[in-house]
Amino acid sequence: MTYEKVNELNLKDTELRLGLPGTEQAKEEQEVSCVRSNKRQLQSDNEEESTPPTKTQIVGWPPVRSYRKNNNSVSYVKVSMDGAPYLRKIDLKTYKNYPELLKALENMFKFTIGEYSEREGYKGSGVIPTYEDKDGDWMLVGDVPWDMFSSSCKRLRIMKGSDALALDSAL
Amino acid sequence: MSEDDEDQSPASDLRSQRPCSPNKSRNCISSSQTFPDHVLENVLENVLQFLDSRCDRNAASLVCKLWWKVEGLTRSEVFIGNCYALSPARLTQRFKRVRSLLLKGKPRFADFNLMPADWGANFAPWVSTMAKAYPWLEKVDLKRMFVTDDDLALLAESFPGFKELILVCCEGFGTSGIAVVANKCRKLKVLDLIESDVTDDEVDWVSCFPEDVTCLESLAFDCVEAPINFKALEALVGRSPLLRKLRLNRFVSLEEVHRLLLLGAPQLTSLGTGSFSRGDQSQQEPPDYAAAFRSCKSVVCLSGFRELMPEYLPAILPVCANLTSLNFSYANISPDMFKPIIHNCHKLQIFWALDSICDEGLQAVAATCKELRELRIFPFDPREDTEGPVSELGLQAISEGCRKLESLLYFCQHMTNAALIAMSHNCPELTVFRLCIMGRLRPDHVTGKAMDEGFGAIVKNCKKLTRLAVSGLLTDQAFRYMGEYGKLIRTLSVAFAGDSDMALRHVLEGCPRLQKLEIRDSPFGDVALRSGMHRYYNMRFVWMSACRLTMGCCKDVARAMPNLVVEVIGSDDDDVNRDYVETLYMYRSLDGPRKDAPQFVTIL
């Protein structure tokens, strides 16, 4: 499959597949519906376990009932970037901390973010990541502890261009 | 011993009984019996009615035919551990005056998508048979059954004195079925929907309760994924003076819980707090939640917290000192939020939580909860390769602090033999030990050895152990220990473990009390299966999936044991002639193979 570049965005970005945004390798297999393939996995699995995220997902393992998983495992939020023609969605639960999240966003939207400091926010690149919290307020990404952020973040907006510059100079 | 232990056919001399009134009057006589028989029967009835334990009743029924008959007349509570072990007709022929039925359907591994949908365990034939035979039925308690709205409607219409409906891990029905039960069962005391899949039919079932004062003592709907009419709920609580247990779903906000507590807090003994987050009124000043909880003088059991806003968690502090049961397993609580709460829970006996409380949180539990009997730690992130916030450190702490521990369910990424050995010595009261090391085939992460010695110590030293679930890297040696020392084990769960058939043989040739065996993804084959043929009639069921069984061997077993139903369950693209058996599920049955098996089930 060839991918054309449209509006500077590589269509490969929009290819539907599992895996962290920005990772090049395709994930080995989707959740397997037939346990038979688990058997093959088992026989060859005496060596070192493969590193995440290429490990095949096994049906029904770990043995946690689905209603418990539903509550915790997925937390998709919309991500918009000023100037981008369409929004993206990411699962916040796949990230453990801010650096991981920001790196993923950088890869997804092809930008570089500046240095974060508590006092001055993001300096240097004219790109500012913000999020809308449970109360409907727009906040700067990075101010609160990660856990608090990931449970209260409703959507993300990456500001750039003139809005960001205005904020930059205001701060 | 359960109901399905009996393999006597219904006595042919059982005369048809005149219908008896609900109170156990001693005047149910069949006039054609001779005088001495009639007196003896009456005496026996008077005596046997005091027998509650089903083990005792099963023993009593084996004394002689008369005792068998009278026991059958006086048993009011029937337990059926496998709905396919007998037919509904046999139940109603054997037991004439049943008030309460406890019925279990699908095997537990069905919870984890290891069994296709529509396998069976339908409640329909049971309810339709009982509708005619047991007009005085009061209680139905179902686990892993498929229940339809029509079944619920039939139930509601057929049993005028119906009092208790408990549905655990059931599916097939929706809020419309619940509405019918609420509306028609005027004597309803208990409506408990627990971990069941309830479809949202957009029916306001809460409004369907009758308008007079209700008999409700327990209402649990925390698993219902549908908004409810809060005004109706408030009114219902207001006219339910006997209500002691109320478990709300996540569509009930903190403000609404606050209002309910103002109405009826002092009587409540068990509260499921719903979402534990604010609704739409986030702009207004929050009411004094702590004051509402302070009025919960009788609450000993707390659960809910489905969408916890952690800043409000301290509101529950006033009830902590009284709590014997606390369920945080839907709340992502960090150690810092958790420690101030648990510090007050000195009386806690049952504690469920997510591993987000970390080893640090478990250490706090160990320091405070000296009365702890049951601990369940669920994974916040149930994947195999995550870091894992709890480990052997938490388990070690618990074993040192909570010496009265009886039941453990623990999900983790890493474990050591040393921690299990310590627990085996520190917690001699353990009856249930279920450890899930989520990374498959993980060895002791300190020594690199298999987890054999750890689990070996558990079976050896915990002499009261009746239920065991193992995980991690295990060789045949672990199973040798289980077979030799697991004298009281009734339930055994195995996944991704063992080296060879010998492992399963050790278990089948040992473990004298083994009743329920569930195995997945382990290298056990025909030799192992054959080695257990002397005991399958004495077991409730055996489940083996993704093992190394062949069709030929399963057919041999089916042929050799005619009262064993041997089901081979395949996936959709299975070729009937394939020799490899994907899933084997076999169980004893008094009434032969079931008639409702779907296409993907082959009964050998």
Side-chain angles (χ1 to χ4, degrees), chain B residues 395-450:
Chain B
L395 198 69
Q396 179 87 26
I398 292 290
S399 78
E400 285 165 11
C402 306
R403 297 298 176 102
K404 299 184 185 178
L405 197 67
E406 293 171 6
S407 174
L408 178 76
L409 171 63
Y410 197 82
F411 283 84
C412 58
Q413 292 289 350
H414 306 286
M415 188 47 60
T416 61
N417 283 308
L420 296 192
I421 294 170
M423 181 157 256
S424 76
H425 289 301
N426 292 337
C427 302
E429 301 299 316
L430 276 174
T431 55
V432 174
F433 187 82
R434 299 158 68 191
L435 177 68
C436 181
I437 302 169
M438 289 188 277
R440 287 168 287 148
L441 307 169
R442 288 244 172 99
D444 178 324
H445 83 104
V446 165
T447 66
K449 296 197 180 142

